[in-house]
Amino acid sequence: MKFYSTRNKNNVASGAQAVCRGISEEGGLYVPSEFPVVSKEKTESFCGAAYEDTAAEIVGMFLPELTELAEYTRAAYSRFCGDPAPVVQIAENTFITELWHGPTHAFKDIALTLLPHLLSGSKKILGNDKITLIPVATSGDTGKAALEGFGGVEGTAVAVFYPSGGVSDLQKLQMITTEHKNVFVSAINGNFDDAQTAVKKAFANERLIKELADEGIELSSANSINFGRLAPQITYYFTSYADLLDGGRIKYGDKVDFCVPSGNFGDILAGYYALKMGLPVGRLICASNVNNVLCDFINTGVYDRRREFHKTTSPSMDILISSNLERLIFDLSGENDELTAERMSKLGSEGVYSLTEEETEKMQKTFSAGYAEEDEVAETISEYFDEYGYIMDPHTAVAVTVADKLCGGERERPTVILSTASPHKFAASVLEAIGEKPTGNEVKDLVTLENATALEVPETLISLPKKEKLFNGCVNRDEVAGAIKEFAQRMARK
Ligand SMILES: *Cc1c(COP(=O)(O)O)cnc(C)c1O
C-alpha cells in the first residue's frame, strides 16, 4: 500500500513512512493511494469478534507491513474497560456507540493507545533509532490521551500544549499530573487554533528541526492528521455495523446513518473511508456546535473561517480550522493535489476557499450537516435522561441534537450516534442540564453526578486532586519552538 501527499502526489511514502512523518514535508496530509474493499463475508465475520481482532484486520489492510499488528491492538485495547466501542440502543432506530471506555475516558484513546505501537513498529521497519518527539496541540482530550498513549513508550517523547482558557479544570488536572519521564505539558496563551497554528509552525521551523536532528531527535505528529491516528478510527464504523447485524437490527446491505460530533473532522472522515471500503453507510451527518464552520461548509461548499470564535460546553469541537478536511476536499477534487494545495494556501492567506458546484454536490450526496445551539445541547441531555434514562456528555448531545433535528422526529434508517466523551469529563455542564447545581469543584461534581444518575465515577478521575501538579508553565505562541527545544535537549541528555 502506497500513500501520497494531498499537496503533491509525487511525494510517495510507504505506510511506515507516512506514520513516522505524520505530515508531508510540503505540509500536505498522507492519504492511501487506494482503498481496500471489505467484502460482505468479511464484514459479517466481525459479528461477535473481539474488537482488537477487527482493528488488526482493518488497520492491517492499510499497513500490511506491520506484521505484529495483532499484538499492538491487543496491547492498546486491553487498556479499555470492556468493549472499546459498545453500541447502546436508545430507541427504535437510535443507537449510540460509546467510544469513551479507554484510559482517559474520551474517544481519542481509541487511536492514541494504538498509534505509539504503530509508530514504534514503523520505526523498526525503517531502521530508525532516533527519539521521536511528538508536539501536540490539544483542545483538551487529545492531550491527556497522547500523554497516556506515548508516556513510557521507549524512543518517544511527547510535548502537549493546551489553550490557557480553553480546557476544563478536570482536563487540565489530568494533563498536568501526568508522571511519565518522557512527557512535557504547558499552557499556551490563546485559543485552540492559536495552539494548533503554533505547533504547526514548529513542524515547519527548519532551524528547530536541524537543531533537534543534531541531538538525535525527530519531530512527528500525533494530531489527527497522522494516518496512524485515522486508521484505527475506521474500525468502530465496522464494529458498530456488525453489532447491528449481530443483533438482527439490520441485514447486510441495509444502510446505516452515522452522526458524528465533529471538530478536526478526523472522526467523521474515518466514516467516509469506511464507506469507500464498501461499508453500507447511508448518510454521514456532521454535527457542529455554534462554531459551525463545518456545517456551513457542507451546506454551501464554502469554507469560511472568518468568524467569531465561541467557547462552548463542548470545547473539543471549538475549532475553526478542521485539519482533516483537507483529505476530503482532495478526494472530492478527484485527487487534484495542485488544487488542494492552492485551496489550503488560500485558507491560510484569506481564511476562505470554495468548492466547485460539482464537488459540492458530490459531497452532499454523502454528507449532511447541522449544528446545535448551547441551550439545545442542555435540553437534549435533560430530555434523553428523563425519557430514556440515558446520560450523555455535551459533545455527544450536540450530535444527538443534530441527528434529531435533521430527521424531523421520524428516523427512517438506523442511526448510530458516536459518543465521544464520558459524561464525567464534563460533569458541571451535565449537572446543570439535568437541573442539579454544579459546585464549582469538578471533583465534587463527579460525586453529585454519580448520585444523581447512578453512573459510577472512574477511580482515575476521582483521585486526581490528590496528585501532584507537575507542569505549571504557560508560554506565548512565539515561545512554543523554544519550549520544544528545551524539552528535547533534556530528553537527549537522558
Ligand atoms: C476530538 C473530539 C471530538 C471531535 O473529533 P474530530 O475527529 O476532531 O472531528 C468530539 N468530541 C470529543 C469529546 C473529542 O475529544
Side-chain angles (χ1 to χ4, degrees):
M1 175 73 70
K2 288 273 174 229
F3 290 76
Y4 40 62
S5 156
T6 49
R7 298 189 197 180
N8 177 7
K9 274 159 80 177
N10 293 324
N11 183 346
V12 175
S14 68
Q17 286 169 327
V19 170
C20 286
R21 290 180 198 162
I23 193 162
S24 87
E25 58 212 6
E26 75 288 337
L29 311 192
Y30 286 109
V31 290
S33 57
E34 60 191 306
F35 284 84
V37 172
V38 183
S39 67
K40 171 176 187 272
E41 290 68 33
K42 180 57 87 186
T43 301
E44 284 172 343
S45 79
F46 298 151
C47 295
Y51 188 90
E52 64 204 44
D53 295 336
T54 305
E57 292 231 31
I58 296 287
V59 177
M61 291 174 196
F62 293 98
L63 302 169
E65 62 266 60
L66 295 181
T67 51
E68 293 163 40
L69 203 48
E71 279 151 59
Y72 301 160
T73 58
R74 194 170 315 127
Y77 297 125
S78 65
R79 298 188 61 194
F80 281 64
C81 187
D83 182 350
V87 179
V88 180
Q89 181 164 24
I90 305 294
E92 172 66 19
N93 269 336
T94 308
F95 301 86
I96 292 187
T97 299
E98 294 177 346
L99 301 173
W100 40 262
H101 295 281
T104 77
H105 317 288
F107 109 97
K108 302 287 192 294
D109 288 333
I110 298 251
L112 282 169
T113 50
L114 186 56
L115 179 66
H117 299 284
L118 300 181
L119 183 67
S120 68
S122 297
K123 282 170 73 180
K124 251 189 248 162
I125 290 171
L126 300 174
N128 173 345
D129 57 5
K130 294 198 193 89
I131 294 176
T132 305
L133 192 155
I134 318 275
V136 177
T138 182
S139 53
D141 289 335
T142 312
K144 181 60 178 175
L147 293 165
E148 279 306 311
F150 284 94
V153 175
E154 193 86 26
T156 70
V158 58
V160 170
F161 296 91
Y162 66 91
S164 52
V167 302
S168 79
D169 291 345
L170 204 66
Q171 286 175 322
K172 182 175 161 185
L173 263 185
Q174 276 189 304
M175 290 188 273
I176 67 173
T177 57
T178 308
E179 283 169 11
H180 301 290
K181 287 206 173 66
N182 60 337
V183 309
F184 172 77
V185 182
S186 173
I188 179 166
N189 285 312
N191 62 32
F192 173 67
D193 285 327
D194 294 325
Q196 179 153 273
T197 307
V199 166
K200 272 194 178 166
K201 270 205 183 122
F203 280 105
N205 183 333
E206 280 171 29
R207 211 180 99 202
L208 175 70
I209 289 175
K210 164 100 187 32
E211 284 169 346
L212 296 186
D214 292 343
E215 310 260 10
I217 290 178
E218 60 175 13
L219 293 187
S220 188
S221 160
N223 274 351
S224 57
I225 49 178
N226 190 315
F227 188 78
R229 273 262 319 259
L230 201 52
Q233 298 183 353
I234 301 170
T235 306
Y236 49 77
Y237 286 89
F238 280 94
T239 59
S240 295
Y241 193 88
D243 268 20
L244 296 194
L245 276 179
D246 205 22
R249 305 286 168 200
I250 52 171
K251 52 186 192 322
Y252 184 85
D254 289 348
K255 292 200 166 159
V256 171
D257 294 344
F258 286 86
C259 183
V260 187
S262 295
N264 247 328
F265 209 73
D267 197 357
I268 194 165
L269 184 76
Y272 186 62
Y273 281 4
L275 169 69
K276 285 175 78 79
M277 294 165 78
L279 187 71
V281 173
R283 301 200 70 74
L284 288 167
I285 304 167
C286 176
S288 306
N289 61 26
V290 287
N291 294 297
N292 55 0
V293 60
L294 278 172
C295 169
D296 286 350
F297 172 69
I298 287 166
N299 288 322
T300 64
V302 180
Y303 195 93
D304 190 349
R305 65 144 299 172
R306 300 167 303 177
R307 59 182 74 207
E308 203 184 323
F309 176 85
H310 300 279
K311 279 189 188 178
T312 72
T313 52
S314 45
S316 296
M317 299 160 71
D318 291 347
I319 286 171
L320 292 181
I321 300 177
S322 299
S323 317
N324 259 302
L325 196 60
E326 180 168 342
R327 287 187 166 108
L328 178 68
I329 65 162
F330 175 74
D331 181 274
L332 293 171
S333 72
E335 305 209 325
N336 186 331
D337 51 357
E338 268 175 50
L339 184 57
T340 304
E342 207 176 284
R343 283 170 169 158
M344 288 303 114
S345 135
K346 246 190 117 207
L347 179 64
S349 58
E350 296 167 39
V352 58
Y353 65 84
S354 310
L355 298 186
T356 64
E357 224 166 276
E358 216 181 25
E359 289 168 326
T360 307
E361 270 171 31
K362 194 169 156 195
M363 171 170 69
Q364 291 172 346
K365 275 210 179 96
T366 301
F367 288 90
S368 304
Y371 76 97
E373 300 279 356
E374 286 293 273
D375 55 348
E376 294 176 313
V377 173
E379 255 164 55
T380 297
I381 293 173
S382 151
E383 187 191 314
Y384 273 71
F385 182 53
D386 287 346
E387 200 154 322
Y388 307 108
Y390 187 81
I391 192 79
M392 67 182 82
D393 96 292
H395 301 78
T396 309
V398 167
V400 170
T401 304
V402 169
D404 282 348
K405 269 198 209 177
L406 293 194
C407 77
E410 268 305 306
R411 247 193 256 301
E412 292 163 27
R413 270 203 294 250
T415 301
V416 172
I417 294 144
L418 299 184
S419 175
T420 49
S422 137
H424 297 114
K425 288 203 80 172
F426 301 92
S429 304
V430 174
L431 281 175
E432 223 159 311
I434 62 172
E436 299 274 338
K437 264 211 166 51
T439 57
N441 175 327
E442 282 187 296
V443 176
K444 283 201 188 117
D445 288 349
L446 287 176
V447 179
T448 315
L449 185 62
E450 180 172 78
N451 292 335
T453 65
L455 197 70
E456 204 179 321
V457 187
E459 175 60 30
T460 43
L461 292 180
I462 205 88
S463 63
L464 277 175
K466 287 186 238 128
K467 299 185 78 177
E468 191 185 346
K469 297 183 182 68
L470 299 165
F471 300 97
N472 298 301
C474 182
V475 298
N476 289 321
R477 269 188 296 182
D478 58 357
E479 292 169 339
V480 166
I484 290 174
K485 189 177 150 194
E486 208 174 285
F487 171 55
Q489 284 169 336
R490 242 184 307 137
M491 287 298 105
R493 249 179 269 126
K494 274 200 329 189

